[in-house]
Amino acid sequence: MSRTRTRWRLGLTATALLVVSAVVPAPANAEDVTDYAITVDPATKGAKIDDTMYGVFFEDINRAADGGLYAELVQNRSFEYSTADNRSYTPLTSWAVGGTATALNDDGRLNARNRTYLSLGAASSVTNSGYNTGIRVEDGKKYDFSVWARADQAGTLTVSLTDAGGVLAEAHQVEVKGGWAKYKARFTATRTSTTGRLTVATDNSVALDMISLLPRDTYKGHGLRKDLAQKIAALDPGFVRFPGGCLVNTGSMQDYSEASNWERKRSYQWKDTIGPVEERATNSNFWGYNQSYGLGYYEYFQFSEDMGAMPLPVVPALVTGCGQNKAVVDDALLKRHIQDTLDLIEFANGPVTSEWGRKRAQMGHPKPFHLTHIEVGNEENLPNEFFARFTEFRTAIEAKYPDITIISNSGPDDSGSTFDTAWKLNRDANVDMVDEHYYNSTNWFLQNNDRYDSYDRNGPKVFLGEYASGGNTFKNALSEAAFMTGLERNADVVKLASYAPLLANEDAVQWRPDMIWFNNHVSWGSASYEVQKLFMTNVGDRVVPTTATSTPSVSGPISGAVGLSTWATTAAYDDVKVTGADGTALLSDDFSGDASQWTHTGGGSWAVQDGQYVQTDVAAENTMVSAGDPAWHDYDLHVKATKKSGKEGFLVAFGVKDTGNYYWWNLGGWNNTLNAVEQASDGGKSTLVSKAGSIETGRAYDIDVKVRGRQVTLYLDGQEWGGFTDSKPAEPFRQIVTKDAKTGDLIVKVVNAQAAQARTTIDLGRTKVNSKATVTTLAAAPDAVNSETATPVAPVRSTFTGVASKFTYTFPANSVTFLRIKKG
């Protein structure tokens, strides 16, 4: 799809020559500088980069919608909160009652899909507390109040905005009489507050529903919270993926109707989310709260259009995931969902004379939204069952809409049996595009810059729909930036990429890390946001091939102490022995005495019982205890382990440096379905090798781990289970150069994810260039975290005047630097 976009367009003339440069060793007294060389090959054409290369993925997680991007200030406005959403919820959650108020679910309701309403007695009131600390209003700004009300006898509603300091706006009186009708008022705030309360009081008995307070000032007037929408728009996203994620492939696939007994725990289905807001369904959000669907598919399409981004919806494939992992067997239901998907395309693109195009027009948008891509399913762990259903969706869509790109997926991980099976199915069927997801450690991202170098250039394209390293520090962002240079280098294979999750309300976090954080009055971008913004707003049209020298290897053998842990399981350990490669006994503990050699750094409850070391808290996760010297290397570890109860098996750790850096053999993980080795790096984990398997309760297992250099071999009950070699360098110096086809300008993008400066010779051959370059730099301490009150990770713009066909630039330690160079 051709679109006008704001990018830094950079390039290089074809007259430059390839020059090979070598690393110049740093002086012995300059440990804080490492020397590199980048050499450009303009005679070779690199991959074309699409305008849609980078986008965003919006999922209603961390209260991203209600209380977040959706501008509604009243929480639980339609009294639909239920224990189906959260065990602590009632229809009056977030409401304080003065006098008599009863939530009713009967035939007096506003409409069939809005099941619950409030009966408010005479001389009574209800007060809403909003989100976070309260309802936020800003001095001089206008706020639109509305309510649906019914009164058998005429009565007066008094509506007021206050906080502990008093009145926030002039109160309004609304006369109510007769059947259900919508009543409105407008407030103008007289001062700013973040702790406001909205009160509706009545002098006579009245029924109320859909009590709403919306700021008049929203993003482009389309009902989205302005600061959040502006931060997303500032990324200049090429696409918006929506609505999930786990919201798509969890829960019931039935609709919200009497036939399903008004099922609350449903997958996200687009027809629930359009039309008048008071007639939209409610749903139990997978992440543990209620979602009102005030922000639905129409608003999603509108937001995408407002930003100039391609909409990319995801529809259920009738195979659940995210821990549920069931295939729905119901041909009629499958056919209904396939038809719903065809109807969705018509809603987005159909003429106003079509059924669903007319509904779009009735909502205020007669012109089509120009949908070009659609994704079926999300992270299904049952690849064969998923693909059988995906094929039926694909056949139907291609028959009616042959120009739509249909996206499949490869499961929830970057590797493993599910990933391999899914990719084979996708490859054999020659699908358009495959969505990959992975959340890994900083180390993994530094090691896997070349992940897509070996992908089949003629096979399905890749949509990297969800990825992030395990934290919000600048070190995390640096590792992601290093990885993104590899995405750009492989832009002929990786056509779309989006970091996830996008939004997080600081008081309602279900997942970390997140790109944009907020509360009820302010928002801020994480370090990863700044990296994403820098890449997304400076893409270029084509890759200019380069070569670069690498960092001298400093990796030695795998070293570290040993550890024991559990995850939602109780387990007993015995006969722990660590022996050096030369036969030296490093550790021996049969727990006939105490456990004084062990340090408890995790959760849970450990004690010596009957000559075993036992973890007894069945609910605790990551209960690590460790023993030994972090400098140990080249050793054999033996452990006897017995699962006593719980969901999983046990974990045996080695190479333990500290609480965030270690390896462990996870036996009976993932609800006792897999045995795998995971590496933790700065708290984030990545899977190195995995096999299907489970652990029996009450059975004693002999576990042996042999560590030699970077090679690890694992034995289960005396039989070799598998092994791995962790020899891939976590290269901290990565670069990419891209070109602007129109101007010939080029941009040199360099990531230096280490404590040393990178003094770099950049050779452009014989290209004539302007001596002045515009520089944008992100540089901070590795552990720097952006917050509401401080943004240590922020772009700094400067000018560099030493550009030539061959020049030297020193990139700061722990930095991402973009050099924009114009032709001479």
Side-chain angles (χ1 to χ4, degrees):
M1 183 170 102
S2 176
R3 301 190 296 114
T4 301
R5 301 181 57 71
T6 305
R7 302 282 197 204
W8 278 5
R9 305 280 185 186
L10 304 162
L12 182 67
T13 63
T15 57
L17 300 177
L18 171 66
V19 179
V20 178
S21 303
V23 169
V24 179
N29 62 347
E31 292 87 353
D32 61 341
V33 177
T34 304
D35 286 308
Y36 297 91
I38 297 172
T39 306
V40 177
D41 177 12
T44 303
K45 184 175 286 189
K48 179 181 181 298
I49 306 175
D50 295 340
D51 282 347
T52 51
M53 173 74 180
Y54 295 121
V56 295
F57 165 42
F58 179 84
E59 178 177 9
D60 190 357
I61 182 175
N62 310 313
R63 282 203 178 275
D66 295 334
L69 185 59
Y70 183 42
E72 176 64 67
L73 298 173
V74 176
Q75 184 173 178
N76 189 18
R77 67 181 176 187
S78 58
F79 310 101
E80 295 293 330
Y81 276 27
S82 163
T83 53
D85 310 321
N86 187 296
R87 284 183 296 178
S88 67
Y89 281 0
T90 75
L92 285 170
T93 294
S94 299
W95 294 96
V97 176
T100 305
T102 306
L104 298 177
N105 180 349
D106 60 25
D107 291 341
R109 63 178 64 88
L110 176 61
N111 59 64
R113 290 160 70 83
N114 201 325
R115 305 295 295 169
T116 307
Y117 66 99
L118 188 71
S119 175
L120 188 62
S124 298
S125 66
V126 285
T127 299
N128 192 265
S129 56
Y131 296 92
N132 299 93
T133 56
I135 292 173
R136 197 263 180 163
V137 295
E138 187 176 347
D139 187 19
K141 292 293 182 70
K142 299 182 185 303
Y143 298 85
D144 291 328
F145 167 83
S146 65
V147 61
W148 283 82
R150 171 174 57 80
D152 295 333
Q153 296 181 0
T156 301
L157 300 180
T158 301
V159 188
S160 58
L161 267 172
T162 61
D163 65 6
V167 174
L168 293 173
E170 182 181 352
H172 289 275
Q173 290 189 328
V174 178
E175 301 300 321
V176 176
K177 184 179 180 181
W180 285 108
K182 188 176 183 179
Y183 299 88
K184 300 178 181 179
R186 181 176 298 169
F187 289 97
T188 300
T190 55
R191 58 186 176 86
T192 297
S193 175
T194 61
T195 58
R197 299 292 187 267
L198 175 71
T199 298
V200 179
T202 181
D203 63 355
N204 208 344
S205 296
V206 66
L208 304 176
D209 208 343
M210 294 296 293
I211 301 175
S212 172
L213 187 69
L214 282 164
R216 174 56 62 100
D217 186 17
T218 61
Y219 183 69
K220 297 197 174 182
H222 290 143
L224 302 184
R225 178 171 152 174
K226 199 169 185 178
D227 64 322
L228 289 178
Q230 286 174 334
K231 278 188 170 58
I232 299 169
L235 294 167
D236 193 19
F239 65 88
V240 183
R241 180 176 181 250
F242 175 95
C246 290
L247 302 191
V248 167
N249 67 337
T250 54
S252 169
M253 299 294 163
Q254 299 291 337
D255 62 2
Y256 190 58
S257 68
E258 187 174 5
S260 70
N261 196 29
W262 307 103
E263 174 62 60
R264 295 286 289 256
K265 294 180 177 294
R266 307 183 319 285
S267 62
Y268 197 110
Q269 300 173 44
W270 78 272
K271 289 181 180 178
D272 287 342
T273 76
I274 65 167
V277 291
E278 68 272 9
E279 296 177 8
R280 298 183 188 182
T282 187
N283 204 1
S284 172
N285 183 291
F286 173 81
W287 298 107
Y289 52 90
N290 176 272
Q291 56 191 128
S292 72
Y293 289 140
L295 195 167
Y297 258 82
Y298 178 82
E299 290 76 17
Y300 152 65
F301 280 130
Q302 183 70 73
F303 185 40
S304 300
E305 182 179 81
D306 286 343
M307 294 190 295
M310 176 182 79
L312 203 165
V314 187
V315 298
L318 274 72
V319 178
T320 59
C322 301
Q324 297 182 0
N325 303 335
K326 293 181 181 179
V328 178
V329 181
D330 185 329
D331 287 342
L333 189 59
L334 176 61
K335 286 182 173 60
R336 193 268 285 174
H337 275 267
I338 291 172
Q339 185 59 51
D340 281 355
T341 302
L342 298 175
D343 293 344
L344 173 60
I345 298 171
E346 183 175 286
F347 178 76
N349 294 349
V352 295
T353 54
S354 66
E355 177 186 0
W356 293 99
R358 183 167 58 253
K359 291 183 184 296
R360 180 193 68 240
Q362 289 169 350
M363 294 186 70
H365 201 285
K367 293 183 179 180
F369 283 116
H370 304 295
L371 177 68
T372 60
H373 291 61
I374 196 163
E375 182 171 357
V376 178
N378 169 75
E379 291 190 9
E380 281 73 25
N381 262 313
L382 303 174
N384 291 297
E385 292 85 344
F386 160 73
F387 203 76
R389 290 154 179 78
F390 171 83
T391 300
E392 294 198 46
F393 277 86
R394 182 189 185 193
T395 299
I397 296 169
E398 286 181 340
K400 190 168 185 180
Y401 299 105
D403 294 333
I404 295 288
T405 297
I406 307 164
I407 304 172
S408 180
N409 75 81
S410 58
D413 299 306
D414 64 274
S415 59
S417 58
T418 296
F419 179 88
D420 293 340
T421 301
W423 255 107
K424 184 178 188 309
L425 291 166
N426 287 309
R427 193 178 297 111
D428 290 348
N430 195 30
V431 303
D432 296 330
M433 191 176 291
V434 178
D435 188 1
E436 294 189 355
H437 294 179
Y438 37 81
Y439 297 91
N440 288 326
S441 66
T442 54
N443 204 57
W444 186 94
F445 281 100
L446 292 176
Q447 287 178 321
N448 284 277
N449 176 276
D450 63 349
R451 175 178 176 86
Y452 297 106
D453 290 1
S454 59
Y455 272 50
D456 182 0
R457 295 359 242 182
N458 298 313
K461 301 306 180 185
V462 172
F463 172 23
L464 180 50
E466 297 183 33
Y467 72 98
S469 67
N472 268 148
T473 70
F474 189 48
K475 182 172 184 177
N476 296 106
L478 284 169
S479 72
E480 293 153 5
F483 187 73
M484 291 171 77
T485 65
L487 299 182
E488 290 192 6
R489 186 175 63 254
N490 290 286
D492 57 329
V493 169
V494 184
K495 306 304 287 183
L496 307 168
S498 50
Y499 177 102
L502 178 62
L503 295 175
N505 185 319
E506 66 174 352
D507 292 336
V509 180
Q510 284 102 10
W511 186 275
R512 298 171 189 268
D514 303 290
M515 196 196 297
I516 300 171
W517 291 73
F518 65 92
N519 50 40
N520 67 350
H521 61 281
V522 72
S523 58
W524 60 95
S526 68
S528 293
Y529 173 85
E530 296 298 344
V531 161
Q532 292 291 324
K533 184 178 178 182
L534 191 57
F535 274 85
M536 291 169 73
T537 57
N538 299 282
V539 180
D541 295 301
R542 187 175 291 278
V543 173
V544 181
T546 57
T547 58
T549 51
S550 58
T551 306
S553 176
V554 295
S555 63
I558 291 174
S559 61
V562 298
L564 311 171
S565 189
T566 60
W567 197 286
T569 308
T570 65
Y573 294 92
D574 203 355
D575 297 332
V576 180
K577 296 177 183 177
V578 181
T579 307
D582 60 359
T584 304
L586 302 176
L587 173 70
S588 180
D589 201 335
D590 64 3
F591 303 106
S592 56
D594 57 26
S596 58
Q597 297 185 82
W598 298 85
T599 301
H600 184 190
T601 56
S605 179
W606 289 86
V608 174
Q609 298 177 2
D610 300 324
Q612 297 179 311
Y613 201 19
V614 183
Q615 198 291 114
T616 57
D617 185 346
V618 74
E621 299 177 347
N622 193 2
T623 63
M624 179 83 81
V625 292
S626 61
D629 188 337
W632 281 351
H633 60 87
D634 296 291
Y635 57 75
D636 297 318
L637 166 63
H638 172 80
V639 180
K640 189 177 288 291
T642 306
K643 172 183 175 178
K644 298 175 75 67
S645 67
K647 297 178 181 178
E648 303 206 349
F650 31 74
L651 302 121
V652 176
F654 52 96
V656 179
K657 292 291 191 184
D658 52 46
T659 56
N661 296 275
Y662 54 84
Y663 302 81
W664 67 19
W665 190 3
N666 187 347
L667 290 149
W670 293 268
N671 288 318
N672 208 14
T673 61
L674 287 177
N675 299 331
V677 177
E678 296 177 278
Q679 181 183 14
S681 176
D682 295 320
K685 293 189 185 71
S686 53
T687 301
L688 303 182
V689 59
S690 67
K691 297 179 183 180
S694 59
I695 294 299
E696 298 175 25
T697 301
R699 175 183 165 189
Y701 290 82
D702 283 304
I703 298 165
D704 292 275
V705 181
K706 180 179 180 179
V707 182
R708 295 293 185 274
R710 307 294 299 179
Q711 172 70 41
V712 177
T713 310
L714 304 114
Y715 301 85
L716 187 61
D717 285 337
Q719 300 295 313
E720 184 173 333
W721 175 85
F724 64 93
T725 302
D726 184 18
S727 58
K728 207 169 189 180
E731 175 59 58
F733 183 84
R734 297 292 188 183
Q735 56 79 37
I736 190 74
V737 178
T738 59
K739 172 183 179 180
D740 186 296
K742 291 183 179 180
T743 66
D745 291 355
L746 60 81
I747 186 168
V748 178
K749 312 173 187 182
V750 175
V751 180
N752 182 31
Q754 61 182 331
Q757 298 178 82
R759 185 169 51 208
T760 306
T761 300
I762 301 173
D763 199 317
L764 307 178
R766 298 176 182 177
T767 305
K768 292 183 179 180
V769 291
N770 193 300
S771 62
K772 184 184 297 185
T774 301
V775 184
T776 305
T777 305
L778 295 171
D783 60 353
V785 176
N786 286 353
S787 67
E788 178 181 352
T789 56
T791 53
V793 182
V796 174
R797 292 174 178 83
S798 60
T799 301
F800 177 67
T801 58
V803 179
S805 59
K806 186 174 183 179
F807 66 99
T808 298
Y809 190 92
T810 299
F811 296 95
N814 300 306
S815 67
V816 182
T817 305
F818 282 27
L819 289 165
R820 183 183 182 182
I821 303 172
K822 300 186 72 65
K823 291 193 303 182

